[in-house]
Amino acid sequence: MATQGRGTLFDPVLVTDLFNKVKGKSSVAKLANQTPVAFNGNKEFTFSMDSEIDIVAENGAKSHGGITVAPVTIVPIKFEYGARISDEFMYATEEEQINILTAFNDGFSRKVARGLDLAAFHGVNPRTASASAVVNGNDLDHKITSFITYASATADDNLNDAIQAVNTADGDVTGIAMSPAFASAMSAIKVNGARQYPEFAFGGRPDSFHGLGLDVNRTVSDMDVTDAASYSYVGDFANAFKWGYAKEIPLKVIEYGCPDNDTEAGDLQGHNQVYLRAEVYLGWGILLPSSFAKIRTAKG
């Protein structure tokens, strides 16, 4: 495993800042409400009245209305990131006033944001890009039952159809998460040579669309492990999806042992290395799957 050393990474001059190349953001965090999550998990109850209100005549008999109460459990899942660096590199960073620990934490937060989406949308372990047994189907790809077949030339119609599907299921639409490819398709739609959605042109990434919250994010299409490509999620992110932090563990600098279980890399002290590790526990719950629809390619 390659370990960055002082002499190979920086010129021997004073450096006061780092450019953080780590990319990552979360559509879930932008579109859905954050809620406190207990370390042992939350049990959220969905409540509905199955009938309409009843008008009763004077001295008339009252009829049964009925309610449905169903629990949804939000269980926090551990996300972690760790890396080996040279202990000489750590000393050098302090001498040269490079805030590598702050940069690591910033990069970790971006990776967590991206990881939250990948797990909540597709049910994958972001490190392996394969289905996670820990997530165990608690993701939109597995929960959604309403699908719209994507067609780039009529992407706007796809959105309208997805919204109508949610409305037909007696749900509301508060937000849209779409892939860059879907946003590009929206920008290309023209009528009589005029762009119908110029806000998407030239890489535009609007924060809203016709009054609905919007986020354009690669996490919508990245790492989809189903047999159909994802292009957009439409639904009631504000009310039917909840997420939150259960616990955040500050960055650790580990000086001993083999914390990454890499037998080839060996003991830290034996190789003049330290290990940086950050962890966080995140949980989410899809309270009403019928309040979401997915735009995807047709299965074939």
Side-chain angles (χ1 to χ4, degrees), residues 14 88-100:
L14 180 66
E88 294 181 3
F89 175 69
M90 285 293 293
Y91 303 145
T93 61
E94 183 177 356
E95 294 166 1
E96 297 171 354
Q97 302 176 10
I98 300 175
N99 199 342
I100 186 65

Side-chain angles (χ1 to χ4, degrees), residues 84-157:
R84 292 175 179 244
I85 61 174
S86 166
D87 59 0
E88 294 181 3
F89 175 69
M90 285 293 293
Y91 303 145
T93 61
E94 183 177 356
E95 294 166 1
E96 297 171 354
Q97 302 176 10
I98 300 175
N99 199 342
I100 186 65
L101 301 184
T102 299
F104 186 93
N105 271 330
D106 183 42
F108 176 67
S109 67
R110 300 184 195 185
K111 285 294 187 182
V112 168
R114 173 174 163 81
L116 171 61
D117 274 15
L118 293 172
F121 286 159
H122 311 304
V124 300
N125 178 345
R127 178 70 56 83
T128 64
S130 59
S132 168
V134 178
V135 176
N136 193 29
N138 182 34
D139 56 88
L140 287 175
D141 282 356
H142 284 89
K143 296 286 189 180
I144 288 176
T145 58
S146 182
F147 301 101
I148 305 300
T149 301
Y150 171 71
S152 60
T154 55
D156 52 351
D157 288 338

Side-chain angles (χ1 to χ4, degrees), residues 27 68 99 144 258:
S27 295
T68 299
N99 199 342
I144 288 176
C258 185

Side-chain angles (χ1 to χ4, degrees), residues 2-246:
T3 300
Q4 300 291 1
R6 172 183 179 180
T8 61
L9 191 58
F10 296 108
D11 291 331
V13 295
L14 180 66
V15 180
T16 59
D17 197 8
L18 287 174
F19 175 69
N20 196 329
K21 297 192 294 182
V22 180
K23 303 294 184 183
K25 63 171 185 170
S26 172
S27 295
V28 167
K30 178 178 178 180
L31 300 174
N33 290 323
Q34 183 177 346
T35 187
V37 177
F39 190 71
N40 291 331
N42 290 8
K43 182 174 284 188
E44 301 276 347
F45 285 95
T46 61
F47 173 88
S48 65
M49 292 183 173
D50 304 324
S51 304
E52 297 296 340
I53 199 75
D54 190 20
I55 296 177
V56 182
E58 185 174 355
N59 299 319
K62 303 178 181 69
S63 62
H64 175 70
I67 62 172
T68 299
V69 180
V72 175
T73 303
I74 300 177
V75 179
I77 294 174
K78 182 192 289 188
F79 291 74
E80 71 88 26
Y81 196 95
R84 292 175 179 244
I85 61 174
S86 166
D87 59 0
E88 294 181 3
F89 175 69
M90 285 293 293
Y91 303 145
T93 61
E94 183 177 356
E95 294 166 1
E96 297 171 354
Q97 302 176 10
I98 300 175
N99 199 342
I100 186 65
L101 301 184
T102 299
F104 186 93
N105 271 330
D106 183 42
F108 176 67
S109 67
R110 300 184 195 185
K111 285 294 187 182
V112 168
R114 173 174 163 81
L116 171 61
D117 274 15
L118 293 172
F121 286 159
H122 311 304
V124 300
N125 178 345
R127 178 70 56 83
T128 64
S130 59
S132 168
V134 178
V135 176
N136 193 29
N138 182 34
D139 56 88
L140 287 175
D141 282 356
H142 284 89
K143 296 286 189 180
I144 288 176
T145 58
S146 182
F147 301 101
I148 305 300
T149 301
Y150 171 71
S152 60
T154 55
D156 52 351
D157 288 338
N158 292 164
L159 275 182
N160 189 61
D161 290 344
I163 292 170
Q164 291 303 314
V166 174
N167 290 339
T168 299
D170 204 25
D172 296 318
V173 174
T174 64
I176 303 168
M178 66 172 60
S179 69
F182 195 95
S184 178
M186 291 288 289
S187 74
I189 296 174
K190 296 180 179 180
V191 175
N192 296 325
R195 293 185 186 274
Q196 296 302 291
Y197 310 103
E199 61 268 44
F200 292 101
F202 306 106
R205 299 292 184 263
D207 291 324
S208 63
F209 184 69
H210 287 263
L212 301 175
L214 172 67
D215 194 50
V216 179
N217 201 330
R218 296 183 184 279
T219 56
V220 170
S221 52
D222 284 356
M223 299 190 192
D224 187 340
V225 294
T226 67
D227 57 356
S230 299
Y231 283 88
S232 184
Y233 296 92
V234 174
D236 191 1
F237 284 95
N239 304 295
F241 192 113
K242 289 189 178 181
W243 74 280
Y245 293 88

Side-chain angles (χ1 to χ4, degrees), residues 267-286:
D267 181 74
L268 292 172
Q269 290 288 301
H271 293 81
N272 296 316
Q273 297 171 346
V274 294
Y275 193 81
L276 304 183
R277 170 176 285 152
E279 297 178 348
V280 64
Y281 287 81
L282 289 174
W284 64 89
I286 303 165

